[in-house]
Amino acid sequence: LLIIGEGPGAEEDEQGLPFVGKAGKLLDRMLAEAGLAERAFITNTVFWRPPGNRTPSPAEQAACAPFVERAFFLLKPKAVLLLGAAAAKSVLSTDEGIMRLRGHWKDWRLAEGNVSAPVLATFHPAFLLRTPMAKKAAWADMLSVAARLAPSAD
């Protein structure tokens, strides 16, 4: 499972690791409860904290896109989980909002290398901390990812 967020917050920027703050701890709990903790690689659409902790600009995301795509190519994940609107819009090359995108499986295919994977956008854990009522929908998305990754009974 490849998980892609938008960009580092203050704690992530300080430690040089993705999702280590409060939102990261919530994500860790969700992944553990869904049985995905040991199967996930986490990255962001940008690798530095944008000034004022603003949403990364399309230009910033475009500058980092080759690195995100390279991680996708090397990992060849069975599924991709996009956390939040910025990550979803960047990876899926869309202007649709997260409310429309979340919960719907899409396909991400690289132009080169014949690599593709099913992609699901969901709410960012930081949004869940501010909007607890959205946790139920995000949990349903996490369970959908877990089901997609479950070994099939042949």
Side-chain angles (χ1 to χ4, degrees), residues 33-94:
E33 288 296 321
L36 299 170
E38 301 301 319
R39 303 175 67 187
F41 179 86
I42 303 172
T43 191
N44 285 305
T45 62
V46 297
F47 310 115
W48 61 86
R49 184 174 183 222
N53 203 32
R54 64 168 166 67
T55 300
S57 71
E60 290 166 333
Q61 290 176 318
C64 295
F67 300 100
V68 175
E69 290 174 1
R70 185 68 177 156
F72 181 54
F73 177 81
L74 292 172
L75 292 169
K76 293 176 180 55
K78 301 269 191 266
V80 178
L81 182 63
L82 304 173
L83 301 177
K89 288 178 179 184
S90 177
V91 170
L92 297 174
S93 299
T94 185

Side-chain angles (χ1 to χ4, degrees), residues 82 84-90 92-104 106 121-123:
L82 304 173
K89 288 178 179 184
S90 177
L92 297 174
S93 299
T94 185
D95 288 328
E96 284 192 86
I98 192 65
M99 295 298 186
R100 278 190 185 264
L101 291 171
R102 76 137 292 275
H104 301 283
K106 307 280 186 191
T122 192
F123 299 126

Side-chain angles (χ1 to χ4, degrees), residues 98-121:
I98 192 65
M99 295 298 186
R100 278 190 185 264
L101 291 171
R102 76 137 292 275
H104 301 283
W105 285 97
K106 307 280 186 191
D107 192 54
W108 184 18
R109 181 174 303 279
L110 292 182
E112 298 176 24
N114 198 27
V115 175
S116 67
V119 178
L120 186 67

